């Protein structure tokens, strides 16, 4: 942890984790449990809007470095009694994406980007069929024209 950050006592309002804001430079961003809970409340409402409920399976594609951004979504899904499958939105994880998308009835798929689509194609997957059998697709801007 950056020694320049203020010291915190563990509490509901204190430091819970340190995320990173990427841009020209990386900036540490302190995240309290209150922040996580507020984000989880919002994410839970969004999951409800797309119809995710008890027993539904969701595929979350994110990198480990993005855990601070995705943890509220995982908490929200657990609150709704859903289950999730994790995959990396990268060129090398196409086989895992394909396996999840073939084997499970996915209510929603988060984190689709052009790397995922290229990885699925490289793995020999029928991307159009996989995407059409899944529920709501949440994609990054670079993937939308390819969907």
């Amino acid at each position: 942890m950056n020694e320049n950050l203020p010291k915190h006592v563990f509490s509901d309002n204190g430091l819970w984790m340190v995320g990173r804001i990427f841009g020209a430079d990386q900036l540490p961003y302190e995240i309290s449990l209150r922040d996580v809970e507020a984000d989880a409340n919002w994410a839970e409402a969004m999951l409800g809007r797309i119809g995710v409920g008890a027993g539904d399976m969701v595929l979350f594609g994110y990198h480990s470095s993005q855990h601070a951004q995705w943890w509220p979504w995982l908490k929200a899904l657990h609150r709704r009694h859903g289950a999730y499958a994790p995959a990396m939105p990268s060129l090398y994880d196409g086989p895992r994406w394909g396996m999840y998308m073939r084997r499970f009835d996915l209510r929603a798929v988060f984190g689709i980007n052009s790397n995922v689509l290229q990885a699925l194609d490289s793995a020999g997957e029928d991307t159009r069929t996989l995407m059409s059998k899944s529920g709501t697709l949440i994609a990054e801007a670079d993937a939308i024209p390819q969907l």
Side-chain angles (χ1 to χ4, degrees):
M1 184 178 301
N2 185 333
E3 59 278 349
N4 296 323
L5 293 176
K7 303 284 186 231
H8 292 275
V9 176
F10 179 81
S11 73
D12 286 353
N13 300 324
L15 182 67
W16 190 253
M17 72 172 67
V18 176
R20 294 267 179 212
I21 299 172
F22 291 91
D25 292 314
Q26 293 184 24
L27 303 172
Y29 177 77
E30 298 177 34
I31 301 167
S32 70
L33 179 57
R34 182 175 26 194
D35 295 329
V36 172
E37 291 300 326
D39 288 350
N41 291 340
W42 182 84
E44 187 174 6
M46 295 303 102
L47 290 174
R49 287 180 71 177
I50 63 172
V52 174
D56 286 335
M57 174 74 83
V58 174
L59 172 55
F60 283 111
Y62 65 92
H63 293 284
S64 297
S65 64
Q66 297 173 312
H67 196 67
Q69 293 97 314
W70 286 100
W71 185 28
W73 287 93
L74 302 178
K75 287 180 62 74
L77 181 64
H78 285 291
R79 289 178 184 173
R80 298 187 72 77
H81 304 284
Y84 77 95
M88 295 279 198
S90 61
L91 291 171
Y92 67 83
D93 218 8
R96 183 188 326 263
W97 281 81
M99 180 271 298
Y100 285 143
M101 295 181 87
R102 277 191 319 277
R103 295 183 69 188
F104 297 105
D105 181 21
L106 298 171
R107 181 64 193 95
V109 179
F110 285 79
I112 300 165
N113 63 23
S114 61
N115 286 336
V116 169
L117 298 176
Q118 184 179 344
L120 287 167
D121 286 341
S122 295
E125 298 288 353
D126 182 349
T127 305
R128 187 171 302 279
T129 299
L130 290 178
M131 296 296 167
S132 67
K133 76 179 267 312
S134 298
T136 303
L137 304 176
I138 295 88
E140 294 181 19
D142 67 340
I144 292 171
Q146 301 170 58
L147 293 173

